[in-house]
Amino acid sequence: MRKRMQALVPVLLLATLLASCGPVGTKTAIGGLGGAAAGGLIGAAAGGGGKGIAAGVILGGLLGGAVGNYLDQRDRQLQQQAEMKALESAPSGTTTAWKNPDSGNQGTVTPKRTYQTASGQYCREYQQTVTVGGKKQNAYGTACRQPDGSWKIAS
């Protein structure tokens, strides 16, 4: 696992540098970097080695950049509110939806599994969808409860 993470660091740095080179909007850069990080982690978790991680970073960056380019501040606010509501109070398998009537963008958050780590921290795996311009993107992640009661996205 340590070797995978070591392989991931240079690729993420490269993605960050590339995102800052051109006239890229903030939404695109944030989406691209988030997608690159998630794609790299998925590639590492899948056991793809350096090539799998690199492919995950590239594909995740492209998809995340495309979605991020179209989500405005209100879309992100609605998405984050639905995410926190789902993580805090929705039973596993129950979907929480959001929709921005101004942009037409929408999405869902569905907690899939709740578990407790060896250190006693509660975490939830979840699935998330975002539909922009009729095109649906799926993502999977894990969030863990922090000591102050908030949820922090772990992956």
Side-chain angles (χ1 to χ4, degrees), residues 29-48:
I30 290 171
L33 292 174
L41 290 171
I42 290 169

Side-chain angles (χ1 to χ4, degrees), residues 10-68:
V11 178
L12 288 175
L13 288 173
L14 177 61
T16 303
L17 290 172
L18 289 174
S20 64
C21 287
V24 176
T26 303
K27 293 184 284 187
T28 304
I30 290 171
L33 292 174
L41 290 171
I42 290 169
K51 290 180 182 178
I53 293 170
V57 167
I58 292 167
L59 291 174
L62 292 172
L63 289 174
V67 170

Side-chain angles (χ1 to χ4, degrees), residues 14-154:
L14 177 61
T16 303
L17 290 172
L18 289 174
S20 64
C21 287
V24 176
T26 303
K27 293 184 284 187
T28 304
I30 290 171
L33 292 174
L41 290 171
I42 290 169
K51 290 180 182 178
I53 293 170
V57 167
I58 292 167
L59 291 174
L62 292 172
L63 289 174
V67 170
N69 191 38
Y70 293 103
L71 290 181
D72 65 17
Q73 184 176 355
R74 181 67 178 145
D75 291 336
R76 285 192 302 274
Q77 180 184 29
L78 292 167
Q79 181 271 329
Q80 289 171 350
Q81 288 172 348
E83 188 175 88
M84 290 303 121
K85 179 180 177 184
L87 292 172
E88 185 61 34
S89 59
S92 294
T94 302
T95 298
T96 302
W98 64 270
K99 182 173 183 175
N100 184 341
D102 296 327
S103 68
N105 297 331
Q106 59 187 332
T108 63
V109 182
T110 307
K112 293 295 187 178
R113 182 173 81 99
T114 304
Y115 62 94
Q116 192 172 10
T117 65
S119 65
Q121 185 178 38
Y122 285 95
C123 297
R124 295 194 86 179
E125 293 175 357
Y126 64 96
Q127 178 180 358
Q128 189 163 196
T129 65
V130 176
T131 303
V132 176
K135 296 181 182 176
K136 186 176 183 180
Q137 300 289 325
N138 294 311
Y140 299 88
T142 301
C144 295
R145 186 181 295 281
Q146 301 303 294
D148 68 359
S150 65
W151 289 91
K152 180 177 179 185
I153 306 304

